[in-house]
Amino acid sequence: MRVGFYQCSPEFGSVEANLDQYTQALEGVQADVVVLPELGNSGYLFLNLEEVKSMAEPADGPTFEFLHTLAKKHNTHLVLGFPERKGDHFYNSSMLVGPEGLMGVYRKVHLFYEEKLYFQPGNLGFPVFEIDGVKVGMLVCFDHLFPEAARVLALQGAQIVLHPSNLVMPTKAQLSTRVRSMENKMFWVMCNRYGTEDRGEKSLTYTGESQIVDPDGMVLANAPAEGDCLQVVEIDPAKASDKKVTSRNDLLEDRRPEVYQL
Amino acid sequence: MRVGFYQCSPEFGSVEANLDQYTQALEGVQADVVVLPELGNSGYLFLNLEEVKSMAEPADGPTFEFLHTLAKKHNTHLVLGFPERKGDHFYNSSMLVGPEGLMGVYRKVHLFYEEKLYFQPGNLGFPVFEIDGVKVGMLVCFDHLFPEAARVLALQGAQIVLHPSNLVMPTKAQLSTRVRSMENKMFWVMCNRYGTEDRGEKSLTYTGESQIVDPDGMVLANAPAEGDCLQVVEIDPAKASDKKVTSRNDLLEDRRPEVYQL
């Protein structure tokens, strides 16, 4: 299985240009799944609810249609963060789109900073989907800092975490995603945007350094702190099904939930 | 508050010599708590239950008496792993000893490899103790790889994790203890032994690199892969009481247990 990310720097509000960039970046790509950034159609730094309302769309909206066309063209699967409208509510969501269509939606459970002003916390739990028989889950950005999130995915059999991000705290997720991968024996594909988003009264700089990690916590591929970067690596997802670290230790079976009371 | 570790290489079966080494190593030490290795009186690589039986002792046994004398002498607290006998059962335990006496016992919850042949899994949960008003918890070695362990301590208010270890898998705990510290905003003092324990038919090499980490995951002090090493650093435990990473994000309050179902 070939998994990858495309690190880039979406421009706030320029949905069409951002999506066009994915078309260009993925030209000729050979991958089973490629992860794109959080809020990767709209940009991240909303200043008010009106801006969210103006760009949010349903999971089967035009951004989905665009990705579906792209997924069919390259016979691949794509993961992209987007501001989701569902009835009167808005979520910081991620969609998984394949040649067959919309395969899954995840709504960010752990909202970061001012996202709390605009988005509802995710109400779909941590669903697991299948890509050609391989179980995958999605997390979005700040979720990485809560070990429970990846753990719940692992306990449901997820072999790969697909992780669109817009990280602003340097190096933390580059460490934590390695440890999450180790402690759950999973693969992890983190796509983090880079660049500065200057909205006048507010500004954020994102940290790049997207990375793909194996179930031993080793980095298989990574990107620099700045710059567009497409990386695809071949992995054996079966390695994420074996949770043993010694002949007597299985990292999921050795858990003792009766002691945790979490 | 001054916290430290003494990394060394206990000799299997030489309880008196191992304890004597602590006397020498701690000469002149100025610390509020010093962590010593897992099974640091007996050595680690038991070949059969008879060996465990011959060296296990109750938590208030001679090893405690020795540490109590040492703790009084230096007006400090000591954490040491030891094979505990309790009735007919044996535990891979850690004791916290202060000038006042025995302050706490933790029994390793997640047993590694052949420890499962000799020891019962810990049945005391993850208790929290106080050193001069600062809340501390103990974990032992392999516990580091289970995020639930440190999380339970954090949720009970532990500000520092005291972590006697005999690690054999290189670098993993050096990464995971940084991430545990970040995700729980706690301090962490890991004392890992070094050296090769050659018991004839079996042999293990321990990885050293003991370290002290702050609530941002930064390494405050560490030891080389080999060699006796005493390190003591000054910390402000109050930093571990503030779980905020932004003005709107508190790492414990932002948890969503109703979604985890762990």
Side-chain angles (χ1 to χ4, degrees), chain A residues 109-113 116 121-122 142 145-146 148 151-152 180 183 246 248-249 251 254-256 260, chain B residues 109-113 116 121-122 142 145-146 148 151-152 180 183 248-249 251 254-256 260:
Chain A
V109 165
H110 303 97
L111 296 174
F112 183 72
Y113 199 46
K116 292 186 177 187
F142 192 49
L145 206 46
F146 297 81
E148 295 89 347
R151 191 60 127 189
V152 173
R180 301 281 171 262
E183 70 203 15
T246 76
R248 298 180 189 276
N249 290 102
L251 288 185
D254 280 355
R255 293 177 71 244
R256 297 192 53 208
Y260 303 151
Chain B
V109 165
H110 304 96
L111 296 174
F112 183 72
Y113 199 45
K116 292 187 178 186
F142 191 51
L145 205 46
F146 297 81
E148 294 89 347
R151 192 61 126 190
V152 173
R180 301 281 171 262
E183 70 203 14
R248 299 181 188 276
N249 290 102
L251 289 185
D254 280 355
R255 292 178 71 244
R256 297 192 53 207
Y260 303 151

Side-chain angles (χ1 to χ4, degrees), chain B residues 68-85:
Chain B
H68 189 201
T69 299
L70 202 53
K72 282 191 287 191
K73 177 180 170 187
H74 297 295
N75 192 30
T76 190
H77 301 77
L78 300 169
V79 171
L80 177 72
F82 71 107
E84 182 186 2
R85 173 195 298 272

Side-chain angles (χ1 to χ4, degrees), chain B residues 36-38 139-142 163-167 190-193:
Chain B
L36 305 167
E38 178 185 12
L139 296 178
V140 174
C141 201
F142 191 51
H163 183 213
S165 297
N166 282 353
L167 294 154
M190 175 177 81
C191 180
N192 187 25
R193 69 164 290 177

Side-chain angles (χ1 to χ4, degrees), chain A residues 146-207:
Chain A
F146 297 81
E148 295 89 347
R151 191 60 127 189
V152 173
L153 288 175
L155 288 169
Q156 294 179 91
Q159 295 158 283
I160 311 174
V161 175
L162 306 168
H163 183 213
S165 298
N166 283 353
L167 295 154
V168 293
M169 295 191 285
T171 77
K172 295 205 166 190
Q174 285 74 19
L175 275 184
S176 70
T177 55
R178 293 183 62 190
V179 171
R180 301 281 171 262
S181 298
M182 271 173 16
E183 70 203 15
N184 294 299
K185 297 285 268 178
M186 310 163 87
F187 290 92
W188 197 292
V189 183
M190 174 176 83
C191 179
N192 186 26
R193 69 164 290 175
Y194 73 95
T196 295
E197 209 172 20
D198 189 347
R199 300 288 329 277
E201 62 191 87
K202 289 180 185 172
S203 167
L204 280 174
T205 296
Y206 305 94
T207 57

Side-chain angles (χ1 to χ4, degrees), chain B residues 125-140:
Chain B
F126 298 98
V128 170
F129 309 101
E130 284 198 18
I131 297 176
D132 302 332
V134 176
K135 291 187 175 177
V136 304
M138 293 183 274
L139 296 178
V140 174

